[in-house]
Amino acid sequence: MRQAGRSLPEYRKVREGIPMLESCTRPELITEITLQPLRRFDVDAAILFSDIVVPLRAVGIDVDIKAGIGPVIETPVRSARDLERLRPLEPDDVPYVTEAVGALVTELGGRPLIGFAGGPFTLASYLVEGGPSKNHDKTKALMYGHPELWHALLGRLAGIAISFLRIQVSAGAAAIQLFDSWVGAVSPDDYRHAILPHTKRIFAALGSHALGDDSVPRIHFGVGTGELLGLMGEAGADVVGVDWRIPLDEAVRRVEPGKALQGNLDPSILLAPWEVIEERAKDVIARGRTAEGHVFNLGHGVLPETDPGVLARLTDLVHAESARTPA
Ligand code: 1CP
């Protein structure tokens, strides 16, 4: 239930007057905000409070997160020369992440902490468009028109993601998630040629061949990726995230064997009466039983207007329901 914090008054209180990206560089604040949802909800894991653009800012990209808009980049990245601004990420660029993850692992006392990074298409889209985009036109124009530049850009972004994820794993994160949130904008053929090689590289760099006993479960998520789920599984994660647009039993048919699924309750269902939520959550769990493994989650982030009481009730329902042996 990422971004659960946005619906909590205590989150809004500690963030008051502190810009989003600045709050991601203060270890005590990162720790406090990460823990806030766990004080209210009996969830099985915490997700680090950060953002997918934090490592971009850390290597010197002039990105800001504007309230009500999202990430905005003053000088977009559109040429070979611009690429030089995307230097590799070093642990010394994000000391606050290492410090916060270390403190959280102690505080969590065995409850897993999920670290994360932005996927290559999604970060490329913010960099090329200069901000949030509905259709990702400029990004796709670069992908179609300048394949060499595109692969150079995604190569650098994959390197930054690998480094950011490894920093979190070294500091004690128990699982990692790659959010390629907007990759559902491309067709399967384009995904295979233009994106898959880079996501494969990221997951390989975090797998057991690369990290041995230090490797952790890897989750891969995007929105509107029904037609890409098979390829996203091929990219090498252990868990494939599914939004709410296709049912989990259908997702099982699309993803290769040996993978678990994560998802996929529509976050807007949480704005409906409890009876509706209960019925839909039970349906997600029942369909999830057809997968080799299932991590119950929303199909996307928590909406800010969600009632925290409903989130607490949902968490309890999921625990009770998944402990039950199906008839
Ligand atoms: O629960 C948590 O707070 C987890 C931390 C977290 C995560 C995992 C934040 C804090 N952001 C993210 C990931 C993230 N950031 C994604 C991928 C996740 C997803 O698919 O939902 C994306 C696309 C972003 C970019 C971003 N950051 C947006 C989206 C804008 C768009 O293009 O539509 C927005 C609004 C942000 C700001 C942000 N990041 C996080 C929070 C809590 C917020 C809200 C701002 C605030 O509270 O001031």
Side-chain angles (χ1 to χ4, degrees):
M1 293 200 292
R2 66 190 167 278
Q3 304 193 16
R6 284 191 299 175
S7 62
L8 304 183
E10 61 269 31
Y11 168 72
R12 290 193 280 264
K13 183 144 186 285
V14 293
R15 276 285 320 284
E16 225 170 276
I18 308 172
M20 175 65 194
L21 280 180
E22 193 191 322
S23 66
C24 296
T25 63
R26 296 195 193 175
E28 308 79 44
L29 207 49
I30 301 172
T31 307
E32 167 60 19
I33 295 173
T34 302
L35 293 173
Q36 281 178 344
L38 279 84
R39 296 192 189 113
R40 285 185 181 248
F41 316 127
D42 187 20
V43 284
D44 301 301
I47 184 151
L48 181 71
F49 178 74
S50 184
D51 193 82
I52 59 170
V53 299
V54 164
L56 299 182
R57 166 101 140 210
V59 300
I61 297 290
D62 51 355
V63 55
D64 195 10
I65 293 186
K66 300 226 156 101
I69 301 175
V72 174
I73 284 133
E74 206 65 47
T75 333
V77 170
R78 292 182 185 155
S79 69
R81 259 196 83 189
D82 292 338
L83 275 193
E84 284 157 33
R85 287 157 48 207
L86 273 176
R87 66 161 175 84
L89 178 78
E90 307 291 342
D92 284 350
D93 295 320
V94 286
Y96 39 85
V97 171
T98 305
E99 191 181 331
V101 171
L104 279 163
V105 170
T106 308
E107 291 270 343
L108 285 164
R111 233 196 278 204
L113 176 70
I114 305 172
F116 70 91
F121 180 86
T122 301
L123 289 182
S125 173
Y126 287 119
L127 288 170
V128 174
E129 308 283 342
S133 161
K134 194 157 173 247
N135 297 319
H136 312 277
D137 295 325
K138 293 188 181 72
T139 314
K140 287 160 84 174
L142 183 75
M143 179 179 90
Y144 290 123
H146 305 276
E148 250 178 55
L149 180 56
W150 175 258
H151 282 291
L153 171 60
L154 265 66
R156 286 188 187 228
L157 292 173
I160 289 172
I162 291 168
S163 173
F164 194 50
L165 292 169
R166 282 188 169 171
I167 288 165
Q168 295 171 72
V169 171
S170 299
I176 57 99
Q177 178 154 195
L178 189 73
F179 287 102
D180 214 349
S181 304
W182 315 136
V183 77
V186 306
S187 71
D189 240 19
D190 290 329
Y191 184 88
R192 184 186 295 283
H193 296 113
I195 296 147
L196 183 61
H198 303 283
T199 36
K200 266 193 173 156
R201 185 181 144 216
I202 296 170
F203 287 119
L206 285 131
S208 52
H209 286 301
L211 297 184
D213 290 345
D214 293 337
S215 68
V216 297
R218 298 155 296 173
I219 313 165
H220 192 181
F221 172 79
V223 183
T225 49
E227 300 307 322
L228 302 179
L229 289 176
L231 290 164
M232 288 175 71
E234 268 181 46
D238 306 289
V239 183
V240 178
V242 184
D243 79 358
W244 61 91
R245 290 173 177 86
I246 67 164
L248 286 179
D249 47 340
E250 175 55 27
V252 167
R253 289 188 276 278
R254 296 183 185 198
V255 174
E256 65 189 16
K259 310 268 168 184
L261 298 183
Q262 173 180 280
N264 74 341
L265 190 71
D266 185 342
S268 355
I269 285 176
L270 300 183
L271 306 177
W274 174 252
E275 298 67 44
V276 180
I277 300 170
E278 184 173 13
E279 187 194 323
R280 295 301 191 100
K282 284 181 175 171
D283 184 58
V284 167
I285 292 165
R287 291 176 196 271
R289 289 191 196 276
T290 66
E292 287 180 54
H294 173 217
V295 181
F296 184 94
N297 204 328
L298 303 183
H300 203 194
V302 174
L303 296 167
E305 58 269 41
T306 309
D307 173 358
V310 166
L311 291 173
R313 216 170 157 186
L314 174 66
T315 319
D316 293 342
L317 172 77
V318 172
H319 278 146
E321 194 60 22
S322 43
R324 217 173 49 82
T325 317

